[in-house]
C-alpha cells in the first residue's frame, strides 16, 4: 500500500478528497495524515514520509509551494500533486521547477482527478520496483572501482603499453603526479583479501592523497600518489602505518612479513619502474634474511603470472607462460616426480580460485563452462605433456572468453543504472555527465567512454533524446504548451528548447502538435 497525505486548509475539501480516494483507490493507497496549514504540512510529511501528497497552494502560515520546497529537499522521492484554484503561469513554472509531479486547476472533473492519481500510483509503483532493482545494480557497480584498480595494477605487473596506463589514470581520476609503489609480502596465502586491502588502504588514506591496490595471494601491491610523497614516506606517521599493518598481519598468524618500496617518481610512463624497484627491494630483503626461494617457489611464481594474464585477458601471454611452466615442471620432474594429471588439476584449481577472487564473486568461471566431472574425465585421459598443454590452451581460451563477457555485462549494468538515473532526473536543468559519474562513483572519462560504446551516442545526445521524447508526449498526449513542456523536461529557455526540438524531430514544437 502506498502512503498518501492530504494538505488542504478547507475541512470540507479534505473530506471530499478523502471520500474520492477511499472510493476509488482503497486497495492501492492509505491516507496516513491530513494537514490544514503550511507548517503542519512540513511537520507531518517529515513524520509520516508519504509517497504522495495532495497539496493546495494558498494556505495559512506557509503557502504550498514554499512547503513543497522544504519537503522535496528532505524527501526527494515524494510525488506532489498541486490542487489549486489559481492558474497563473508563474505558479505552474515554480511548481515544475521544484519537482512537483502534476498541477490541477479547480474546478476539475472527477475523471481528471482520478486519472492524475492513477498516473501517480503507477509512477510511484514503478519507481519503487526500479529502486529495488537499482539497489542490486549499485552493489555491482560499487565494485567497479575495485575492478579498475585491479586491472590497473595488473597492467603494471605485466608492463603493458603506457597508452593503456594513461587511460587508467583518467579512468581512476588520478590527480597527483608523484607516486611510489609499496609491496607487502607474506609467506602464507592471504584470506579475505578485500577486507585486508580496505584496512591497509585505511592506514594510508589520511597520510597520502590517493592509494590504489590489489591483493594477489601473498602480495599486497599498493601505488600511492601525493604531491609531497618524498616527505611523507620519511615521516613517523608513515612508519607507524607500516608497523600497524605488520601487527595486523601478525595477529592473523601470518609469518615473515616483508616490505619493498620503490623510488618516488613523477613520470607516469615509468610506473612499472617503481613496481620493479619495490619487487627488487622485497627480494633483497628476503635474501638478507636467508629465505631462499626454492625451485617449487619459482614455478609457483610463474603460475601466479599465468593467473594474472588470464584475468587480464592476455591469451597469447598466458599460452607463452604455460609453455614456460611446463618446461620448468619437466625439469623439476627429474628430482621430484609428480603425476601429470594431479599437477594439471592443481593448476586449474589455482586459475579458478584466482579468477573468483579477482571478481569478488562466488561465480565459478571455469566450472560454469564445463562440469567438473567432465574436466576430471578429460584430464584422466591425458597421455602426455603435449596433450595437457592443448587441453589447458582450450580451457584458458574459454575462461578468457567468459571473463570478457563478464566485464561487458558489468559495463552494461552500469549504463542501465545511468539511464535509470537520467529517467529520474532528466527534468533538472543542471543534470550533467559529471553529476552522474560522481553519483555512481566512477570517473566521467570512463563513464563517457563506456556510454558511447554501449549506446552508440554520447551522454549529452542521449539526455537530449530523453527530454525531447518526454516533451513530445507532454504536448501530444497531455496538451501541454511549449513553455510548460520545456520547463517540465529541464529546459529553462523555451526558445532554446524549440531549437533543440526542431533539430531532433525535424519539426518545430508547433508544427509537431498541429500535425
Amino acid at each position: 500500500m502506498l502512503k498518501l497525505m492530504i494538505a488542504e486548509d478547507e475541512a470540507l475539501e479534505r473530506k471530499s478528497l478523502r471520500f474520492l480516494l477511499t472510493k476509488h483507490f482503497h486497495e492501492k493507497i492509505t491516507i496516513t495524515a491530513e494537514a490544514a496549514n503550511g507548517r503542519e504540512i512540513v511537520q507531518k510529511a517529515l513524520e509520516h514520509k508519504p509517497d504522495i501528497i495532495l497539496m493546495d497552494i494558498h494556505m495559512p502560515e506557509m503557502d504550498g509551494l514554499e512547503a513543497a520546497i522544504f519537503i522535496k529537499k528532505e524527501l526527494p522521492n515524494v510525488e506532489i500533486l498541486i490542487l489549486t484554484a489559481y492558474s497563473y503561469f508563474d505558479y505552474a513554472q515554480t511548481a515544475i521547477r521544484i519537482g512537483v509531479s502534476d498541477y490541477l486547476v479547480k474546478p476539475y472533473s472527477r475523471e481528471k482527478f482520478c486519472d492524475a492519481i492513477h498516473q501517480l500510483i503507477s509512477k510511484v509503483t514503478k519507481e519503487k520496483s526500479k529502486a529495488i532493482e537499482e539497489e542490486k545494480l549499485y552493489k555491482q557497480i560499487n565494485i567497479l572501482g575495485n575492478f579498475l584498480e585491479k586491472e590497473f595494477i595488473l597492467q603494471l605487473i605485466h608492463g603493458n603499453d603506457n597508452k593503456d596506463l594513461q587511460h587508467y589514470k583518467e579512468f581512476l581520476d588520478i590527480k597527483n603526479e608523484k607516486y611510489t609503489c609499496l609491496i607487502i609480502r607474506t609467506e602464507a596465502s592471504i584470506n579475505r583479501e578485500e577486507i585486508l586491502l580496505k584496512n591497509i588502504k585505511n592506514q594510508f588514506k589520511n597520510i597520502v592523497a590517493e592509494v590504489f591496490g590489489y591483493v594477489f595471494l601473498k602480495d599486497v601491491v599498493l601505488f600511492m600518489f601525493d604531491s609531497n610523497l618524498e616527505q611523507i614516506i620519511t615521516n613517523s606517521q608513515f612508519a607507524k602505518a607500516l608497523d600497524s599493518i605488520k601487527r595486523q598481519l601478525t595477529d592473523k598468524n601470518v609469518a615473515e612479513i616483508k616490505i619493498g618500496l620503490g623510488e618516488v617518481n613523477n613520470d607516469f610512463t615509468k610506473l612499472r619502474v617503481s613496481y620493479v624497484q619495490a619487487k627488487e627491494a622485497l627480494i633483497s630483503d628476503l635474501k638478507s634474511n636467508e629465505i631462499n626461494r626454492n625451485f617449487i617457489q619459482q614455478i609457483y611464481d610463474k603460475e601466479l603470472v599465468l593467473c594474472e594474464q588470464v584475468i587480464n585477458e592476455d591469451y597469447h601471454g598466458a599460452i607463452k607462460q604455460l609453455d614456460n611452466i611446463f618446461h620448468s615442471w619437466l625439469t623439476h620432474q627429474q628430482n621430484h616426480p609428480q603425476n601429470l594429471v594431479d599437477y594439471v588439476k592443481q593448476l586449474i584449481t589455482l586459475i579458478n580460485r584466482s579468477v573468483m577472487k579477482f571478481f569478488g564473486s562466488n561465480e565459478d568461471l571455469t566450472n560454469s563452462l564445463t562440469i567438473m566431472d567432465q574436466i576430471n574425465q578429460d584430464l584422466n585421459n591425458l597421455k602426455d605433456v603435449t596433450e595437457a598443454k592443448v587441453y589447458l590452451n582450450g580451457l584458458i581460451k574459454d575462461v578468457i572468453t567468459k571473463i570478457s563477457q563478464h566485464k561487458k555485462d558489468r559495463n552494461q549494468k552500469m549504463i542501465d543504472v545511468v539511464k535509470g538515473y537520467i529517467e529520474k532526473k532528466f527534468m533538472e536543468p543542471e543534470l550533467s555527465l559529471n553529476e552522474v559519474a560522481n553519483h555512481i562513483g566512477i570517473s566521467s572519462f570512463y563513464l563517457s567512454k563506456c556510454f558511447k560504446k554501449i549506446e552508440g551516442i554520447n551522454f549529452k545526445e542521449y539526455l537530449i533524446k530523453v527530454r525531447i521524447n518526454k516533451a513530445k508526449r507532454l504536448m501530444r498526449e497531455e496538451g501541454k504548451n511549449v513553455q510548460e513542456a520545456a520547463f517540465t523536461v529541464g529546459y529553462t529557455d523555451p526558445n532554446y528548447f524549440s531549437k533543440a526540438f526542431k533539430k531532433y524531430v525535424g519539426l518545430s514544437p508547433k508544427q509537431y502538435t498541429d500535425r
Side-chain angles (χ1 to χ4, degrees), residues 191-200 202 248 252:
N191 296 318
R192 305 184 74 183
E193 296 87 352
E194 298 299 332
I195 295 175
L196 174 64
L197 180 61
K198 182 178 179 180
N199 290 339
I200 290 176
N202 283 340
Q248 181 182 350
K252 296 179 181 297

Side-chain angles (χ1 to χ4, degrees), residues 11-180:
L12 187 60
E13 187 69 18
R14 292 200 303 273
K15 187 175 181 179
S16 174
L17 289 170
R18 180 178 280 273
F19 172 79
L20 286 174
L21 292 166
T22 303
K23 179 178 180 180
H24 296 285
F25 303 101
H26 65 278
E27 294 181 351
K28 296 182 178 180
I29 63 173
T30 179
I31 301 172
T32 58
E34 293 184 9
N37 63 65
R39 297 195 182 281
E40 193 178 10
I41 294 170
V42 174
Q43 177 188 343
K44 290 190 175 182
L46 297 181
E47 178 184 349
H48 293 277
K49 295 181 173 55
D51 299 298
I52 299 170
I53 299 177
L54 308 186
M55 184 186 296
D56 194 3
I57 286 183
H58 284 276
M59 286 187 297
E61 298 191 34
M62 180 189 297
D63 72 38
L65 291 179
E66 189 178 354
I69 291 172
F70 278 101
I71 292 169
K72 289 294 285 185
K73 183 178 180 181
E74 298 297 325
L75 305 172
N77 294 326
V78 68
E79 301 294 340
I80 299 176
L81 172 61
I82 293 291
L83 308 174
T84 182
Y86 298 90
S87 60
Y88 302 134
F89 177 72
D90 285 347
Y91 284 151
Q93 183 179 352
T94 303
I96 290 168
R97 180 175 54 80
I98 64 178
V100 165
S101 305
D102 207 345
Y103 188 103
L104 293 182
V105 178
K106 301 174 184 178
Y108 44 78
S109 66
R110 178 177 297 194
E111 290 75 16
K112 193 165 186 179
F113 174 78
C114 288
D115 183 58
I117 298 297
H118 270 301
Q119 288 187 35
L120 287 181
I121 290 173
S122 176
K123 183 178 181 182
V124 172
T125 303
K126 287 179 182 177
E127 287 296 329
K128 284 182 176 290
S129 298
K130 188 186 295 183
I132 293 172
E133 185 61 29
E134 283 187 356
E135 186 177 355
K136 296 177 183 177
L137 293 175
Y138 275 124
K139 287 180 180 178
Q140 295 174 321
I141 288 178
N142 283 338
I143 61 175
L144 179 60
N146 291 333
F147 286 146
L148 292 174
E149 281 191 49
K150 293 172 183 178
E151 291 171 356
F152 172 55
I153 302 297
L154 287 178
Q155 291 281 344
L156 291 167
I157 290 172
H158 292 305
N160 287 353
D161 196 330
N162 284 325
K163 182 181 178 183
D164 291 335
L165 294 180
Q166 189 63 36
H167 285 158
Y168 278 103
K169 181 181 180 182
E170 294 167 330
F171 292 162
L172 295 169
D173 197 22
I174 297 172
K175 297 181 175 64
N176 291 272
E177 295 297 324
K178 290 185 178 179
Y179 61 85
T180 188

